[in-house]
Amino acid sequence: MHHGAEILLSLFAIFVAAQIGAEIAQRLKLPGVVGEIVAGCAIGPSALGLVNAEQIAAGTPLDVLAEIGVVLLLFAVGLETRLDELKKVGRSAFLVGVLGVIVPFALGALWAHGNGFEWTKSLFVAAAFVATSAGITARVLQELGALSRIESRVILGAAVIDDILAMLLLGVVTSLQGGEGVNIKGLLFVLAQAIGFVVVIGWVGTRVMRARAHWLERPINPLSPLTIALAICLGLAYLSTEFGLAAIIGAFLAGMIASEVPQREELEHQMQPLLALLTPFFFVVTGAKIDLSVFADPSALWMLAVVTIIAIVSKLAGGWLGALSLGRRGALIVGVGMVPRGEVGVVIASLGLAAGVFSNQTYAVIVAMSLLTSIVTPPVLSLLLRRAPAARSQG
Amino acid sequence: MHHGAEILLSLFAIFVAAQIGAEIAQRLKLPGVVGEIVAGCAIGPSALGLVNAEQIAAGTPLDVLAEIGVVLLLFAVGLETRLDELKKVGRSAFLVGVLGVIVPFALGALWAHGNGFEWTKSLFVAAAFVATSAGITARVLQELGALSRIESRVILGAAVIDDILAMLLLGVVTSLQGGEGVNIKGLLFVLAQAIGFVVVIGWVGTRVMRARAHWLERPINPLSPLTIALAICLGLAYLSTEFGLAAIIGAFLAGMIASEVPQREELEHQMQPLLALLTPFFFVVTGAKIDLSVFADPSALWMLAVVTIIAIVSKLAGGWLGALSLGRRGALIVGVGMVPRGEVGVVIASLGLAAGVFSNQTYAVIVAMSLLTSIVTPPVLSLLLRRAPAARSQG
């Protein structure tokens, strides 16, 4: 009876690899998440092959576990984020979000056009430079206990704005690529919908939670505050995908809403075992998706180097400019925090490949760039946060 | 970018349905698990269709989540089971455990063979009559404040022995079903392997754990006792499938091993959120797999009545015979306490369905039987315990 034996072996291998990777990384004074991504790389299809490519493709059990892991992570991050505190950094977060999209998009488009892509295709390539993946930065901030710092709140607020803009941009470049031209009315509608979702959920949700926190205690189930919070998390994660946003944005909003209730500390505490079990799947699967064979071809390696540098410098510059009101050191932390592209860049690259815009090489390079930005960020961010005098919450 | 939207909707629907089902069941003084299975039935393909049949087939993300849920559940049950306490409950518990397995197994096999199943399949069907659900019984005893009664201790000890025997039996009948036929050498080999695995892991594991519990604290990760315990759980769950046993046996053994460490209470506490998130997927997916249209056929309803009566009478008789040293009233309480099949019967039924041994009708009937035994027991047990003069703890 080998029912489910293969998947159990993968679960075991991934979980143990994550623990070993995180342990080694932490002993080297690196964030544990770096170790988990590298461990994923090591056990993935292009190295040891303990997990093969079909097992981590979109929609597979491991991919779904990874998604649940990152959804829970952003929920937990949201739990540590109060709406009132986020509002205080609203202006900086908005600037960081907007500039952090414009600068990478412009530089990405110029690079692509300079490399022989026609303009509509260049804009598609550029879209893959845009979207920050909040998961990796959030994990580093959480590991360092830095979520209450003002820079962290700017990064999280900017990540929400960044995701809305990236989603719109993807809509624009896809229409352009499809030869439809840009439908301004349609775009404004999509924009209004996304902003409406975030504002209504954030604003109404927090108010309802504050007034009705006692409802969480009504069910007989002694774990009911947790189970209701998890239901809200899953529900908003789903709903945000219906509004064209990433699932993690909904999860983050759900966490932020839940942070308004008196049971918040209990919830934070109860989330720990869930994160311990499930987030490793996200980071290891992320690492396992890196196709190491790309590095065998010198021209691809060169292209990867250039693309990665453009991706890092452009995001850093955009974030830095937007956060200058925090001072140079604070702005640098915010800029670095916005660098990881993670799974969002990978999704856009897959769309580009499917639409025939990207060659296999361009696809591989963009995926590798997304993951490289995720690997290089945590150590730098960790270093900066440990050295920086905490420009602590001014509220 | 509707990446993962469909699966998120299923996760949300399943999780919410489970909470609502459990809540209603508990308000009706029924075990929550009954409500979760019924909820799965309601949202499943044969009723509301919020979850369709392809989404819960073997190897799908929802099926894997269900498997992780039941593995964690049995790990948590193991955590509440000390090897020493198992030994202490002594002769009565052993007799109740053994007779409570033999009588239902024999009657079940006779019934199945009488209904046209060939012998190897009849033994598989009979295995589904065997296993008492320790969880349901324990929950009922706890609710009545009757855990210190000698009958309760015998029930709990016997339920654990029963679980182990049932699982061994399951391993044996599944291997037989896997094509070895009634080959005595093969049977003995499978049996020896299964017993060897359980004894070596149980005996050596508990000793290593007692001596080396401090190893759990070595990693930097502050959740390290939990992460190491989870790694052991996943590892033994996988390993037990390699020894021809169900994954849940390995998980149960992992829990029993982990119950030897001083951090046991902390582990039990940390398991609660994991069970809250993941076990509902097992029970709801289980319920969703019940094909309700089967019961449109009066012959299936008749079969259900017969199967349920055999399941109740055989378990009652086995338990009663084994516990006669407690007096007739005490023996009756023990017998009734052993009746609920709950999740273990359901696990075996799912395995039978997956292995192609059971038709949809047999599966639906056995799951419904497991449910019914869980529904009828609590009120009867409650009545008996309230009336009986407490033959209090002699230990």
Side-chain angles (χ1 to χ4, degrees), chain A residues 315-384:
Chain A
K315 201 63 157 184
L316 195 56
W320 189 78
L321 281 173
L324 267 180
S325 65
L326 304 182
R328 288 186 173 190
R329 171 73 77 165
L332 188 61
I333 291 172
V334 171
V336 170
M338 298 297 289
V339 164
R341 302 306 202 284
E343 77 286 359
V344 188
V346 174
V347 169
I348 294 174
S350 326
L351 291 174
L353 188 68
V357 180
F358 295 173
S359 67
N360 276 335
Q361 198 193 52
T362 311
Y363 169 75
V365 161
I366 285 181
V367 170
M369 171 276 280
S370 296
L371 297 164
L372 266 180
T373 55
S374 306
I375 292 178
V376 299
T377 301
V380 178
L381 192 59
S382 161
L383 203 73
L384 284 171

Side-chain angles (χ1 to χ4, degrees), chain B residues 112-177:
Chain B
H113 193 61
N115 274 266
F117 285 89
E118 57 189 72
W119 274 114
T120 54
K121 289 192 178 184
S122 295
L123 295 182
F124 202 128
V125 173
F129 282 74
V130 163
T132 289
S133 161
I136 286 171
T137 307
R139 216 172 338 178
V140 173
L141 294 173
Q142 201 172 31
E143 274 174 36
L144 295 172
L147 275 170
S148 64
R149 291 179 70 124
I150 191 162
E151 296 96 335
S152 302
R153 287 199 287 143
V154 172
I155 290 170
L156 289 174
V160 172
I161 290 161
D162 176 295
D163 261 3
I164 293 171
L165 291 178
M167 287 168 182
L168 284 175
L169 206 57
L170 179 64
V172 172
V173 299
T174 318
S175 303
L176 286 177
Q177 177 55 32

Side-chain angles (χ1 to χ4, degrees), chain B residues 138-328:
Chain B
R139 216 172 338 178
V140 173
L141 294 173
Q142 201 172 31
E143 274 174 36
L144 295 172
L147 275 170
S148 64
R149 291 179 70 124
I150 191 162
E151 296 96 335
S152 302
R153 287 199 287 143
V154 172
I155 290 170
L156 289 174
V160 172
I161 290 161
D162 176 295
D163 261 3
I164 293 171
L165 291 178
M167 287 168 182
L168 284 175
L169 206 57
L170 179 64
V172 172
V173 299
T174 318
S175 303
L176 286 177
Q177 177 55 32
E180 277 132 90
V182 192
N183 168 355
I184 297 297
K185 257 190 198 169
L187 179 90
L188 287 177
F189 181 67
V190 165
L191 197 63
Q193 235 191 0
I195 292 173
F197 174 74
V198 171
V199 167
V200 168
I201 296 294
W203 201 79
V204 177
T206 49
R207 261 147 199 83
V208 170
M209 271 291 169
R210 271 178 218 158
R212 296 284 176 260
H214 57 282
W215 285 2
L216 296 183
E217 304 283 3
R218 282 208 182 161
I220 288 174
N221 188 338
L223 285 163
S224 70
L226 177 67
T227 53
I228 291 176
L230 288 173
I232 293 171
C233 170
L234 291 172
L236 290 186
Y238 163 67
L239 210 59
S240 70
T241 66
E242 285 293 306
F243 278 84
L245 298 169
I248 51 176
I249 303 178
F252 175 78
L253 291 174
M256 208 171 65
I257 290 171
S259 79
E260 297 293 332
V261 304
Q263 303 92 336
R264 175 172 77 136
E265 276 193 33
E266 184 191 347
L267 288 176
E268 277 181 28
H269 194 70
Q270 290 170 326
M271 284 306 292
Q272 293 311 310
L274 290 172
L275 299 185
L277 177 66
L278 291 161
T279 57
F281 290 97
F282 175 70
F283 294 112
V284 171
V285 167
T286 291
K289 282 177 179 168
I290 300 176
D291 184 2
L292 289 176
S293 62
V294 159
F295 295 108
D297 178 1
S299 80
L301 276 178
W302 175 244
M303 182 174 164
L304 174 61
V306 173
V307 163
T308 304
I309 288 166
I310 292 174
I312 290 174
V313 168
S314 63
K315 198 63 154 186
L316 196 55
W320 188 78
L321 281 172
L324 267 180
S325 65
L326 302 182
R328 286 187 177 191

